[in-house]
């Protein structure tokens, strides 16, 4: 099921990048664009329906663009997913047993924890000393050397944490209109939390800049 998870992760990151680019539109188009953006956001959200025996996950068309239904069905079958349906709007619905969904979430959790360890040990983020998180990845604390952090680009690490945390919550059935990921930045020496980033609010702020 690893290939399935990786595909969804990069698709979600791509969606966020495309969404942030929309902030460059002119002020004169803002009124009509707001309505269109609302419709677009609704059509691009990940929908999870948890039944008594099965779980259905619907991915928006933009997340499976360029993938044939035959390839998706083959990959899904290898992952133990019962059924793949391409909907009229281009979205794709995966139907799986609760046990398969549980396995999917366990593998996503493992991948996310591996990513956290890589971030902590990466030479690209020298100021980051540790990263703590809660059980559903809705809250992170990055423990850093404050001086090094403020004189580097290590703040970009919050984006990967935020995106991964959002993905985990979405596929676990979180409401796309209510979920969030809060990342606090804490000074290693003093223990003071001197910065905080909240997703998806941070992505919306990028659109307005």
């Amino acid at each position: 099921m690893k290939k399935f998870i990786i595909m969804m992760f990069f698709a979600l990151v791509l969606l966020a990048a495309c969404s942030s680019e929309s902030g460059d539109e002119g002020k004169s188009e803002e009124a009509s664009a707001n309505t269109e953006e609302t419709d677009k956001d609704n059509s691009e959200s990940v929908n999870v329906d948890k039944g008594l025996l099965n779980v259905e996950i619907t991915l928006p068309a933009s997340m499976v663009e360029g993938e044939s239904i035959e390839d998706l069905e083959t990959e899904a079958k290898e992952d133990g997913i019962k059924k793949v349906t391409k909907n009229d709007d281009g979205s794709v619905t995966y139907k799986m047993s609760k046990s398969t969904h549980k396995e999917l979430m366990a593998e996503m959790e493992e991948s996310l924890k591996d990513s956290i360890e890589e971030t902590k040990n990466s030479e690209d983020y020298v100021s980051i000393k540790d990263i703590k998180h809660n059980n559903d990845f809705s809250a992170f604390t990055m423990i850093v050397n404050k001086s090094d952090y403020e004189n580097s680009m290590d703040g970009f690490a919050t984006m990967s944490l935020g995106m991964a945390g959002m993905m985990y919550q979405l596929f676990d059935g979180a409401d796309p209109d209510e979920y969030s990921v809060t990342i606090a930045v804490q000074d290693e020496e003093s223990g003071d939390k001197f910065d905080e980033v909240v997703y998806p609010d941070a992505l919306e702020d990028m659109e307005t800049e």
Side-chain angles (χ1 to χ4, degrees):
M1 201 173 294
K2 294 291 187 182
K3 184 176 180 181
F4 184 54
I5 295 172
I6 293 171
M7 179 194 75
M8 291 187 292
F9 175 75
F10 284 107
L12 186 60
V13 173
L14 179 61
L15 276 180
C18 293
S19 176
S20 64
E21 289 175 1
S22 66
D24 295 331
E25 295 178 0
K27 293 289 184 179
S28 61
E29 300 178 2
E30 185 173 352
S32 60
N34 283 342
T35 301
E36 294 175 1
E37 277 299 313
T38 299
D39 293 338
K40 182 180 179 182
D41 289 343
N42 290 335
S43 66
E44 290 190 346
S45 62
V46 177
N47 295 318
V48 179
D49 181 14
K50 294 183 178 181
L52 292 175
L53 300 176
N54 299 301
V55 176
E56 292 187 358
I57 298 178
T58 300
L59 306 183
S62 53
M63 289 184 75
V64 291
E65 187 176 359
E67 296 279 347
S68 70
I69 187 64
E70 291 79 13
D71 288 343
L72 293 176
E73 287 175 338
T74 299
E75 293 171 4
K77 185 176 181 180
E78 292 173 354
D79 293 337
I81 295 172
K82 293 181 177 180
K83 184 178 180 181
V84 182
T85 303
K86 188 169 185 179
N87 305 308
D88 292 340
D89 61 358
S91 64
V92 174
T93 298
Y94 292 85
K95 184 177 182 178
M96 64 193 77
S97 67
K98 282 202 165 184
S99 61
T100 299
H101 181 256
K102 185 177 180 179
E103 180 185 350
L104 170 64
M105 297 310 301
E107 292 189 2
M108 290 177 67
E109 179 178 355
E110 181 183 352
S111 296
L112 211 166
K113 288 181 176 178
D114 288 345
S115 178
I116 290 171
E117 287 301 314
E118 290 175 6
T119 301
K120 287 163 52 176
N121 298 315
S122 173
E123 294 181 358
D124 294 330
Y125 301 114
V126 294
S127 73
I128 300 176
K129 307 304 179 183
D130 197 8
I131 300 174
K132 299 180 179 180
H133 59 84
N134 62 356
N135 289 335
D136 66 355
F137 301 102
S138 63
F140 293 83
T141 299
M142 286 198 334
I143 300 172
V144 304
N145 179 296
K146 183 177 180 181
S147 177
D148 291 343
Y149 181 84
E150 292 180 334
N151 289 286
S152 70
M153 303 296 287
D154 289 3
F156 281 113
T158 64
M159 178 174 287
S160 61
L161 293 176
M163 296 298 297
M166 288 192 297
M167 180 187 71
Y168 182 88
Q169 291 182 69
L170 282 173
F171 285 98
D172 199 32
D175 187 335
D177 295 325
E178 296 181 0
Y179 76 118
S180 67
V181 177
T182 301
I183 304 168
V185 185
Q186 178 179 322
D187 179 32
E188 178 187 33
E189 184 175 350
S190 67
D192 293 336
K193 294 181 180 180
F194 62 92
D195 195 12
E196 182 176 275
V197 184
V198 179
Y199 287 88
D201 295 357
L203 296 176
E204 295 172 2
D205 291 342
M206 291 179 188
E207 295 178 8
T208 60
E209 291 179 356

